Amino acid sequence: MAESQVTAMSVRKPTVLTLWGAVVVIPTMIGVAALAADQWTVEWHTAVFWILLIAGVELLQVPTWRGTSVSLGFPMLIAVAFLYPPGIAAAIAFLGSSDPRELRREVTPLRALFNRSQVGLSVLAASAVFQSLASVEDESLVAILPAAFLATLVDYAINIALVTSAVALAYRLSPLEVVPKLLGKGQEFLISYVGLGLVGTVLAKLYTLEGVGFFSVVTVLAPLLLARQMFFRSRALEEAHKELQEREQVLRVLSNRMAEERQDERSAIAAYLHDDLAQLLFRLSIQVDVARRHLSTGKLDEVEESLDKIKGTKQETSDRVRALIRDLHRSPLGHAGLAEAIQGFVAEAGRDSGVRFKVDVQEIELPAPIALLIYHVAREATMNALKHAGAHNLEISVREVDDEIELVIADDGEGFDIEAPGPEGHFGMAMMRDRATVGGGTFDVRSAPGAGTTITVRFPSALLQQEQDGSARAVSVPRPGAPQDGASPGTHEPDGGSKADPPASVPA
């Protein structure tokens, strides 16, 4: 709801951005200072009043896209542009256009000066256009509206042009990509801008009336503060609705993926039953037939030998069944465990990719759900790196760090802008984040163009203790009807079978 400001002078290509910032800042400061000195006819206390007023109002900002923010200062700046000559208006705008990040030292001096310069230039041009066409003191409000409208459009055009150029350089985007992101729905944005320009025009006219003066500022500022709250609420609802829609899409994709994974697991179990257990049972049936033939012919020695073989096959079958039950209960990744599962996936996915892998997975007794989540996140991140990163090296590590279980996937690929929206229809990053948070963990991504990508997921080690405590309670508390200590051994089940500075302030 005020002038645009940029805070990303060093996100990308710092040399180009620094040069562009200097090209805007240096001539603006020199020109505004010279012009203000030549045109100065304002009492100092009046200039200080407007500077302090604008500076205070600029602190009331609402965050929007990619670190951009919207403030209430625009009507005040328009009023100054219409009340005073261009040089004076530009000087007041330059000095008054503060930024909360300046106080927190979150922006460099060059970025702060660029923000002030582009606001000063916009006000300078608006003032020059208005002063050449009308006079706020000598004409009625209706008579000055056409000139005010034209001056507002000029301010709008210069402001957006300067911010767009800086953001385009910062993020390597074309201006046509930047403008829709900054403005959202262009018609609504322009109407809001012109409407606030009208508020500034009314403020300027009221300020010139005898007996009104400074009181007009209070009259205009109060509804602007209310408008700020309404804008903030509206923006919050819009973002919440958008986030909800994205989450619904992610859940649909995740549901489909889980169904596919479940089918894969069912197929793996079916293959195990067919290749291992079915063969053992077939062997057992043959041995029974052989023993029956020996018994019918009275070959008792051969019968005894066959019975020993039957007993051995039965024991082997029982051991296989127990192993399958134990693996299913202990780890969804099967008997191989997390380390071998990741190694196997890497070997298969990375075949003929030309990527050098380094896998370091510590032997940690992980809860089955956490082990599966780590595996899925590692697999998703690896596939993303192979498909999109153009990496030469990729490292995967799982280790216990302090009080956390840490998964790190790092590549030396092209990297990407983590602030930019993801490709349409791709939810890999969102799915990884959801998997991490579902397991009570954290998800962190660090990347920049040309600097590779590092994904870090951490789960609290307390999850291990919870799993151990849960297992202990399961053992110590008998099931209803189960035998207590000292009961007949024959009644027991076998083998225990029970996760740069963005641009900042646009007009609205």
Side-chain angles (χ1 to χ4, degrees), residues 291-311:
R292 182 181 292 112
R293 285 199 299 270
H294 288 325
L295 184 62
S296 63
T297 58
K299 299 178 179 179
L300 298 181
D301 292 338
E302 286 80 355
V303 170
E304 185 175 355
E305 182 180 352
S306 295
L307 290 176
D308 289 338
K309 292 180 179 180
I310 291 172
K311 183 178 180 180

PDB file of all heavy atoms in Angstrom, residues 291-311:
ATOM      1  N   ALA A 291       8.707 -91.292   2.495  1.00  0.00           N
ATOM      2  CA  ALA A 291       8.600 -92.004   3.769  1.00  0.00           C
ATOM      3  C   ALA A 291       7.433 -92.979   3.748  1.00  0.00           C
ATOM      4  O   ALA A 291       7.528 -94.111   4.280  1.00  0.00           O
ATOM      5  CB  ALA A 291       8.429 -90.995   4.909  1.00  0.00           C
ATOM      6  N   ARG A 292       6.323 -92.609   3.118  1.00  0.00           N
ATOM      7  CA  ARG A 292       5.165 -93.504   3.052  1.00  0.00           C
ATOM      8  C   ARG A 292       5.502 -94.766   2.240  1.00  0.00           C
ATOM      9  O   ARG A 292       5.108 -95.884   2.597  1.00  0.00           O
ATOM     10  CB  ARG A 292       3.982 -92.757   2.442  1.00  0.00           C
ATOM     11  CG  ARG A 292       2.706 -93.615   2.391  1.00  0.00           C
ATOM     12  CD  ARG A 292       1.542 -92.875   1.759  1.00  0.00           C
ATOM     13  NE  ARG A 292       1.085 -91.771   2.604  1.00  0.00           N
ATOM     14  CZ  ARG A 292       1.209 -90.478   2.291  1.00  0.00           C
ATOM     15  NH1 ARG A 292       1.781 -90.157   1.121  1.00  0.00           N
ATOM     16  NH2 ARG A 292       0.786 -89.544   3.110  1.00  0.00           N
ATOM     17  N   ARG A 293       6.245 -94.597   1.115  1.00  0.00           N
ATOM     18  CA  ARG A 293       6.613 -95.754   0.297  1.00  0.00           C
ATOM     19  C   ARG A 293       7.552 -96.690   1.065  1.00  0.00           C
ATOM     20  O   ARG A 293       7.423 -97.913   1.027  1.00  0.00           O
ATOM     21  CB  ARG A 293       7.271 -95.283  -1.000  1.00  0.00           C
ATOM     22  CG  ARG A 293       6.285 -94.712  -2.018  1.00  0.00           C
ATOM     23  CD  ARG A 293       6.896 -94.693  -3.414  1.00  0.00           C
ATOM     24  NE  ARG A 293       8.098 -93.857  -3.451  1.00  0.00           N
ATOM     25  CZ  ARG A 293       8.104 -92.558  -3.720  1.00  0.00           C
ATOM     26  NH1 ARG A 293       6.940 -91.932  -3.965  1.00  0.00           N
ATOM     27  NH2 ARG A 293       9.231 -91.893  -3.752  1.00  0.00           N
ATOM     28  N   HIS A 294       8.517 -96.069   1.774  1.00  0.00           N
ATOM     29  CA  HIS A 294       9.431 -96.900   2.556  1.00  0.00           C
ATOM     30  C   HIS A 294       8.676 -97.653   3.652  1.00  0.00           C
ATOM     31  O   HIS A 294       8.978 -98.835   3.940  1.00  0.00           O
ATOM     32  CB  HIS A 294      10.525 -96.039   3.181  1.00  0.00           C
ATOM     33  CG  HIS A 294      11.529 -95.534   2.204  1.00  0.00           C
ATOM     34  ND1 HIS A 294      11.952 -96.256   1.111  1.00  0.00           N
ATOM     35  CD2 HIS A 294      12.204 -94.341   2.157  1.00  0.00           C
ATOM     36  CE1 HIS A 294      12.843 -95.561   0.421  1.00  0.00           C
ATOM     37  NE2 HIS A 294      13.015 -94.371   1.040  1.00  0.00           N
ATOM     38  N   LEU A 295       7.684 -97.007   4.237  1.00  0.00           N
ATOM     39  CA  LEU A 295       6.920 -97.644   5.304  1.00  0.00           C
ATOM     40  C   LEU A 295       6.090 -98.803   4.759  1.00  0.00           C
ATOM     41  O   LEU A 295       5.957 -99.866   5.394  1.00  0.00           O
ATOM     42  CB  LEU A 295       6.022 -96.606   5.979  1.00  0.00           C
ATOM     43  CG  LEU A 295       5.218 -97.092   7.183  1.00  0.00           C
ATOM     44  CD1 LEU A 295       6.180 -97.542   8.307  1.00  0.00           C
ATOM     45  CD2 LEU A 295       4.298 -95.966   7.701  1.00  0.00           C
ATOM     46  N   SER A 296       5.526 -98.611   3.556  1.00  0.00           N
ATOM     47  CA  SER A 296       4.698 -99.667   2.960  1.00  0.00           C
ATOM     48  C   SER A 296       5.527-100.888   2.571  1.00  0.00           C
ATOM     49  O   SER A 296       5.026-102.015   2.515  1.00  0.00           O
ATOM     50  CB  SER A 296       3.965 -99.138   1.725  1.00  0.00           C
ATOM     51  OG  SER A 296       4.896 -98.760   0.722  1.00  0.00           O
ATOM     52  N   THR A 297       6.795-100.730   2.309  1.00  0.00           N
ATOM     53  CA  THR A 297       7.676-101.839   1.927  1.00  0.00           C
ATOM     54  C   THR A 297       8.457-102.368   3.115  1.00  0.00           C
ATOM     55  O   THR A 297       9.288-103.281   2.968  1.00  0.00           O
ATOM     56  CB  THR A 297       8.664-101.386   0.837  1.00  0.00           C
ATOM     57  OG1 THR A 297       9.424-100.279   1.330  1.00  0.00           O
ATOM     58  CG2 THR A 297       7.924-101.001  -0.432  1.00  0.00           C
ATOM     59  N   GLY A 298       8.244-101.781   4.287  1.00  0.00           N
ATOM     60  CA  GLY A 298       8.884-102.276   5.487  1.00  0.00           C
ATOM     61  C   GLY A 298      10.328-101.848   5.652  1.00  0.00           C
ATOM     62  O   GLY A 298      11.065-102.443   6.449  1.00  0.00           O
ATOM     63  N   LYS A 299      10.787-100.855   4.929  1.00  0.00           N
ATOM     64  CA  LYS A 299      12.163-100.374   5.054  1.00  0.00           C
ATOM     65  C   LYS A 299      12.228 -99.355   6.180  1.00  0.00           C
ATOM     66  O   LYS A 299      12.171 -98.133   5.959  1.00  0.00           O
ATOM     67  CB  LYS A 299      12.638 -99.767   3.741  1.00  0.00           C
ATOM     68  CG  LYS A 299      12.637-100.746   2.579  1.00  0.00           C
ATOM     69  CD  LYS A 299      13.083-100.063   1.287  1.00  0.00           C
ATOM     70  CE  LYS A 299      13.101-101.056   0.121  1.00  0.00           C
ATOM     71  NZ  LYS A 299      13.515-100.407  -1.150  1.00  0.00           N
ATOM     72  N   LEU A 300      12.351 -99.872   7.391  1.00  0.00           N
ATOM     73  CA  LEU A 300      12.270 -98.998   8.558  1.00  0.00           C
ATOM     74  C   LEU A 300      13.473 -98.054   8.666  1.00  0.00           C
ATOM     75  O   LEU A 300      13.325 -96.917   9.123  1.00  0.00           O
ATOM     76  CB  LEU A 300      12.150 -99.859   9.822  1.00  0.00           C
ATOM     77  CG  LEU A 300      10.904-100.746   9.889  1.00  0.00           C
ATOM     78  CD1 LEU A 300      10.889-101.528  11.210  1.00  0.00           C
ATOM     79  CD2 LEU A 300       9.656 -99.910   9.751  1.00  0.00           C
ATOM     80  N   ASP A 301      14.663 -98.547   8.275  1.00  0.00           N
ATOM     81  CA  ASP A 301      15.826 -97.655   8.350  1.00  0.00           C
ATOM     82  C   ASP A 301      15.648 -96.447   7.425  1.00  0.00           C
ATOM     83  O   ASP A 301      15.946 -95.300   7.795  1.00  0.00           O
ATOM     84  CB  ASP A 301      17.095 -98.425   7.968  1.00  0.00           C
ATOM     85  CG  ASP A 301      17.461 -99.488   8.994  1.00  0.00           C
ATOM     86  OD1 ASP A 301      16.998 -99.341  10.153  1.00  0.00           O
ATOM     87  OD2 ASP A 301      18.207-100.423   8.645  1.00  0.00           O
ATOM     88  N   GLU A 302      15.146 -96.722   6.201  1.00  0.00           N
ATOM     89  CA  GLU A 302      14.920 -95.625   5.266  1.00  0.00           C
ATOM     90  C   GLU A 302      13.802 -94.698   5.768  1.00  0.00           C
ATOM     91  O   GLU A 302      13.856 -93.474   5.556  1.00  0.00           O
ATOM     92  CB  GLU A 302      14.549 -96.172   3.882  1.00  0.00           C
ATOM     93  CG  GLU A 302      15.709 -96.765   3.105  1.00  0.00           C
ATOM     94  CD  GLU A 302      16.049 -98.173   3.550  1.00  0.00           C
ATOM     95  OE1 GLU A 302      15.431 -98.639   4.543  1.00  0.00           O
ATOM     96  OE2 GLU A 302      16.923 -98.799   2.929  1.00  0.00           O
ATOM     97  N   VAL A 303      12.796 -95.300   6.440  1.00  0.00           N
ATOM     98  CA  VAL A 303      11.711 -94.472   6.999  1.00  0.00           C
ATOM     99  C   VAL A 303      12.274 -93.516   8.039  1.00  0.00           C
ATOM    100  O   VAL A 303      11.934 -92.321   8.075  1.00  0.00           O
ATOM    101  CB  VAL A 303      10.619 -95.362   7.620  1.00  0.00           C
ATOM    102  CG1 VAL A 303       9.632 -94.502   8.420  1.00  0.00           C
ATOM    103  CG2 VAL A 303       9.878 -96.131   6.542  1.00  0.00           C
ATOM    104  N   GLU A 304      13.141 -94.051   8.910  1.00  0.00           N
ATOM    105  CA  GLU A 304      13.730 -93.189   9.940  1.00  0.00           C
ATOM    106  C   GLU A 304      14.551 -92.068   9.310  1.00  0.00           C
ATOM    107  O   GLU A 304      14.505 -90.909   9.766  1.00  0.00           O
ATOM    108  CB  GLU A 304      14.603 -94.045  10.864  1.00  0.00           C
ATOM    109  CG  GLU A 304      15.155 -93.246  12.040  1.00  0.00           C
ATOM    110  CD  GLU A 304      15.918 -94.130  13.020  1.00  0.00           C
ATOM    111  OE1 GLU A 304      15.926 -95.371  12.829  1.00  0.00           O
ATOM    112  OE2 GLU A 304      16.493 -93.572  13.970  1.00  0.00           O
ATOM    113  N   GLU A 305      15.292 -92.391   8.253  1.00  0.00           N
ATOM    114  CA  GLU A 305      16.092 -91.356   7.567  1.00  0.00           C
ATOM    115  C   GLU A 305      15.185 -90.301   6.942  1.00  0.00           C
ATOM    116  O   GLU A 305      15.463 -89.095   7.003  1.00  0.00           O
ATOM    117  CB  GLU A 305      16.954 -92.018   6.507  1.00  0.00           C
ATOM    118  CG  GLU A 305      17.862 -91.051   5.773  1.00  0.00           C
ATOM    119  CD  GLU A 305      18.711 -91.748   4.729  1.00  0.00           C
ATOM    120  OE1 GLU A 305      18.713 -92.999   4.681  1.00  0.00           O
ATOM    121  OE2 GLU A 305      19.369 -91.032   3.944  1.00  0.00           O
ATOM    122  N   SER A 306      14.076 -90.769   6.348  1.00  0.00           N
ATOM    123  CA  SER A 306      13.139 -89.822   5.727  1.00  0.00           C
ATOM    124  C   SER A 306      12.492 -88.922   6.775  1.00  0.00           C
ATOM    125  O   SER A 306      12.273 -87.715   6.548  1.00  0.00           O
ATOM    126  CB  SER A 306      12.053 -90.580   4.960  1.00  0.00           C
ATOM    127  OG  SER A 306      12.602 -91.293   3.871  1.00  0.00           O
ATOM    128  N   LEU A 307      12.174 -89.525   7.950  1.00  0.00           N
ATOM    129  CA  LEU A 307      11.572 -88.712   9.011  1.00  0.00           C
ATOM    130  C   LEU A 307      12.544 -87.631   9.505  1.00  0.00           C
ATOM    131  O   LEU A 307      12.140 -86.507   9.823  1.00  0.00           O
ATOM    132  CB  LEU A 307      11.133 -89.616  10.169  1.00  0.00           C
ATOM    133  CG  LEU A 307       9.938 -90.524   9.896  1.00  0.00           C
ATOM    134  CD1 LEU A 307       9.674 -91.436  11.089  1.00  0.00           C
ATOM    135  CD2 LEU A 307       8.689 -89.684   9.590  1.00  0.00           C
ATOM    136  N   ASP A 308      13.833 -87.975   9.562  1.00  0.00           N
ATOM    137  CA  ASP A 308      14.829 -86.961   9.944  1.00  0.00           C
ATOM    138  C   ASP A 308      14.862 -85.813   8.930  1.00  0.00           C
ATOM    139  O   ASP A 308      14.957 -84.641   9.293  1.00  0.00           O
ATOM    140  CB  ASP A 308      16.217 -87.608  10.059  1.00  0.00           C
ATOM    141  CG  ASP A 308      16.330 -88.529  11.276  1.00  0.00           C
ATOM    142  OD1 ASP A 308      15.516 -88.335  12.215  1.00  0.00           O
ATOM    143  OD2 ASP A 308      17.206 -89.403  11.277  1.00  0.00           O
ATOM    144  N   LYS A 309      14.783 -86.185   7.651  1.00  0.00           N
ATOM    145  CA  LYS A 309      14.757 -85.147   6.612  1.00  0.00           C
ATOM    146  C   LYS A 309      13.499 -84.292   6.713  1.00  0.00           C
ATOM    147  O   LYS A 309      13.537 -83.068   6.544  1.00  0.00           O
ATOM    148  CB  LYS A 309      14.845 -85.783   5.232  1.00  0.00           C
ATOM    149  CG  LYS A 309      16.197 -86.427   4.939  1.00  0.00           C
ATOM    150  CD  LYS A 309      16.205 -87.027   3.542  1.00  0.00           C
ATOM    151  CE  LYS A 309      17.565 -87.650   3.231  1.00  0.00           C
ATOM    152  NZ  LYS A 309      17.594 -88.248   1.878  1.00  0.00           N
ATOM    153  N   ILE A 310      12.366 -84.965   6.984  1.00  0.00           N
ATOM    154  CA  ILE A 310      11.108 -84.216   7.141  1.00  0.00           C
ATOM    155  C   ILE A 310      11.206 -83.249   8.314  1.00  0.00           C
ATOM    156  O   ILE A 310      10.781 -82.087   8.228  1.00  0.00           O
ATOM    157  CB  ILE A 310       9.934 -85.193   7.346  1.00  0.00           C
ATOM    158  CG1 ILE A 310       9.662 -85.968   6.046  1.00  0.00           C
ATOM    159  CG2 ILE A 310       8.680 -84.453   7.792  1.00  0.00           C
ATOM    160  CD1 ILE A 310       8.657 -87.088   6.210  1.00  0.00           C
ATOM    161  N   LYS A 311      11.793 -83.713   9.405  1.00  0.00           N
ATOM    162  CA  LYS A 311      11.948 -82.848  10.566  1.00  0.00           C
ATOM    163  C   LYS A 311      12.840 -81.655  10.244  1.00  0.00           C
ATOM    164  O   LYS A 311      12.563 -80.518  10.641  1.00  0.00           O
ATOM    165  CB  LYS A 311      12.538 -83.657  11.725  1.00  0.00           C
ATOM    166  CG  LYS A 311      12.680 -82.856  13.011  1.00  0.00           C
ATOM    167  CD  LYS A 311      13.234 -83.721  14.133  1.00  0.00           C
ATOM    168  CE  LYS A 311      13.363 -82.910  15.419  1.00  0.00           C
ATOM    169  NZ  LYS A 311      13.917 -83.738  16.545  1.00  0.00           N
TER     170      LYS A 311
END
